[in-house]
């Protein structure tokens, strides 16, 4: 069976602080097209979880339908997973999170799954600020159904069949910022050096963390004239910053030129350290970010990096003031405290 990976690994593979090698974070061989950008994103997730010493059984991967939504099968094989209905991944993720808030939730979606049939779900999961990492593997086409233009295909871009897209594209990163997402980043599947620290920071952000990743479809959307091809993205990419994620413990030191860096503290004391490249851009100022994205669009540039972050807003559990213990760990005694206490509660409403 060609989809199975060999079990042998070098006996001296490095281990993380909980004693796992990177093998414990992998999955079976991918059946996606050779060279698919989605596999590079999966590899970045594996690397981020390994470096952050996340226990695989404390991770839940939830997806919808599409090439991107197949990828959870190919990483973190020892974690929990659920492949849901097309566009409905956020509902399943919400239910899972409300039941057990101690898990790390990865929502994996595509431009069709989020920007078309799942748009309503995408809007409301942002509005509720669900504590999850939401990754869109964005290739501008429906690769699973032979390459039709998706809602994120740029106006004027050419498909492999030769047709020109006449419609304006939905910019998911700009939309997420406008809707109030407290963590918004954008990257390129071919830039693992940038993508890995972004995923690390998203995992530690308390609240909704959205990452839009341009991920070229090598079979149906990697042709001349496509604005989601490898060549086009490499020629038009513009990073807002170089960045490093500094966990609360152990400390990691980085060097930046004086006056050119900024630090953003997350809830747990971890730090995102940015070395600014873009001018007139502040990752904690929504208006600044929106202006930067609009200016980049006028110049046919694709801004990547951490675009916006806000650490002040409550996540869904904070808003609803849920109990500290995950609901799936509450006992009958916790849920049914007895007739005397119930009578006291009822009397308060009389």
């Amino acid at each position: 069976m060609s989809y199975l990976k060999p079990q042998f690994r070098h006996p001296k593979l490095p281990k993380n602080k909980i004693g796992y090698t990177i093998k414990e974070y992998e999955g079976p061989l991918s059946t996606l097209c050779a060279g698919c950008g989605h596999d590079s994103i999966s590899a970045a997730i594996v690397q981020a979880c390994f470096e952050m010493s996340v226990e695989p059984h404390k991770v839940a991967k939830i997806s919808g339908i599409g090439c991107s939504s197949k990828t959870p099968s190919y990483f973190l094989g020892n974690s929990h997973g659920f492949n849901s209905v097309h566009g409905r991944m956020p509902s399943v993720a919400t239910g899972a999170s409300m039941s057990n808030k101690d898990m790390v939730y990865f929502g994996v979606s595509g431009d069709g799954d989020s920007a078309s049939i799942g748009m309503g779900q995408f809007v409301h999961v942002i509005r509720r600020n669900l504590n999850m990492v939401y990754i869109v593997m964005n290739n501008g086409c429906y690769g699973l159904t032979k390459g039709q233009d998706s809602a994120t295909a740029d106006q004027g871009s050419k498909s492999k069949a030769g047709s020109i897209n006449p419609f304006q594209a939905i910019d998911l990163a700009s939309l997420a910022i406008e809707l109030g997402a407290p963590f918004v980043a954008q990257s390129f599947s071919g830039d693992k050096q940038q993508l890995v620290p972004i995923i690390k920071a998203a995992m530690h952000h308390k609240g909704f963390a959205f990452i839009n990743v341009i991920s070229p479809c090598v079979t149906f959307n990697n042709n001349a004239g496509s604005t989601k091809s490898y060549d086009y993205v490499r020629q038009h990419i513009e990073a807002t910053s170089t960045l490093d994620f500094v966990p609360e413990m152990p400390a990691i030191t980085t060097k930046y030129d004086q006056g050119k860096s900024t630090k953003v503290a997350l809830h747990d004391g971890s730090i995102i350290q940015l070395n600014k490249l873009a001018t007139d851009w502040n990752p904690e100022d929504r208006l600044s970010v929106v202006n930067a994205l609009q200016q980049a669009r006028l110049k046919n540039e694709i801004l990547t990096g951490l675009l916006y972050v806000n650490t002040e807003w409550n996540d869904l559990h904070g808003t609803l003031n849920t109990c500290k213990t995950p609901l799936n760990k509450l006992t009958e005694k916790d849920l049914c405290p007895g007739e005397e206490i119930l009578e006291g509660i009822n009397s308060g409403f009389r």
Side-chain angles (χ1 to χ4, degrees):
M1 292 181 285
S2 60
Y3 62 87
L4 294 177
K5 283 186 177 179
Q7 294 299 307
F8 173 77
R9 291 292 189 275
H10 195 284
K12 292 187 178 180
L13 274 178
K15 296 181 178 181
N16 59 19
K17 68 180 183 181
I18 59 174
Y20 289 169
T21 68
I22 201 164
K23 180 175 76 74
E24 277 73 48
Y25 297 88
E26 296 176 343
L29 285 175
S30 170
T31 60
L32 297 175
C33 303
C36 178
H38 295 1
D39 284 333
S40 298
I41 301 171
S42 295
I45 295 172
V46 167
Q47 189 67 34
C49 290
F50 166 72
E51 292 181 7
M52 297 307 299
S53 296
V54 176
E55 295 179 276
H57 68 277
K58 292 186 177 179
V59 175
K61 313 164 296 183
I62 302 169
S63 62
I65 297 295
C67 290
S68 57
S69 294
K70 291 173 62 179
T71 62
S73 297
Y74 311 133
F75 64 85
L76 273 72
N78 294 319
S79 64
H80 304 275
F82 192 93
N83 187 224
S84 69
V85 183
H86 200 10
R88 272 58 177 181
M89 174 269 288
S91 291
V92 177
T94 301
S97 176
M98 296 310 296
S99 174
N100 188 354
K101 62 182 179 181
D102 284 349
M103 302 284 285
V104 176
Y105 290 95
F106 277 99
V108 181
S109 187
D111 37 305
D113 197 55
S114 286
S116 291
I117 192 170
M119 177 59 79
Q121 299 257 327
F122 178 68
V123 168
H124 288 287
V125 75
I126 293 175
R127 173 172 164 261
R128 296 184 181 117
N129 197 16
L130 185 67
N131 188 19
M132 69 178 299
V133 181
Y134 192 117
I135 297 177
V136 168
M137 301 181 181
N138 189 344
N139 57 22
C141 74
Y142 298 136
L144 202 61
T145 54
K146 307 298 188 254
Q148 304 93 327
D149 287 335
S150 78
T152 66
D154 291 313
Q155 188 175 29
S157 65
K158 182 187 288 187
S159 70
K160 186 176 181 180
S163 59
I164 305 297
N165 177 38
F167 304 112
Q168 292 187 57
I170 292 176
D171 184 339
L172 288 172
S174 295
L175 180 61
I177 293 169
E178 177 65 28
L179 292 170
F183 183 110
V184 179
Q186 194 156 261
S187 193
F188 172 46
S189 63
D191 191 353
K192 191 175 180 180
Q193 185 176 2
Q194 181 193 67
L195 184 54
V196 170
I198 286 176
I199 294 173
K200 288 182 185 179
M203 289 165 60
H204 272 256
H205 176 78
K206 188 178 180 181
F208 186 80
F210 176 68
I211 309 174
N212 182 50
V213 188
I214 306 301
S215 179
C217 176
V218 292
T219 301
F220 295 110
N221 206 18
N222 197 33
N223 51 283
S226 168
T227 58
K228 295 288 193 293
S229 66
Y230 277 109
D231 286 343
Y232 184 92
V233 175
R234 288 192 179 106
Q235 291 166 8
H236 294 81
I237 200 167
E238 181 71 24
T240 57
S241 60
T242 57
L243 64 154
D244 195 7
F245 176 70
V246 186
E248 183 180 15
M249 290 184 69
I252 298 175
T253 59
T254 54
K255 291 184 178 179
Y256 291 90
D257 293 337
Q258 184 67 26
K260 292 187 178 180
S261 66
T262 184
K263 295 181 179 180
V264 180
L266 299 182
H267 292 85
D268 63 353
S270 300
I271 299 291
I272 307 169
Q273 186 152 340
L274 306 171
N275 183 23
K276 290 189 179 181
L277 300 178
T279 58
D280 301 323
W281 164 78
N282 179 356
E284 296 180 282
D285 181 347
R286 286 175 69 183
L287 184 59
S288 168
V289 178
V290 170
N291 286 337
L293 286 169
Q294 293 300 324
Q295 290 299 320
R297 182 182 296 176
L298 292 174
K299 295 184 287 186
N300 292 322
E301 291 178 347
I302 302 167
L303 284 188
T304 64
L306 177 64
L307 302 178
Y308 176 69
V309 63
N310 184 317
T311 60
E312 302 300 320
W313 296 344
N314 278 331
D315 71 340
L316 183 57
H317 282 280
T319 300
L320 298 180
N321 195 26
T322 60
C323 59
K324 292 183 179 180
T325 305
L327 298 184
N328 68 336
K329 294 181 180 178
L330 296 177
T331 65
E332 182 178 0
K333 184 178 180 180
D334 297 319
L335 297 172
C336 303
E339 184 178 351
E340 184 178 338
I341 292 178
L342 182 61
E343 179 59 33
I345 293 173
N346 289 335
S347 63
F349 294 101
R350 295 192 180 105

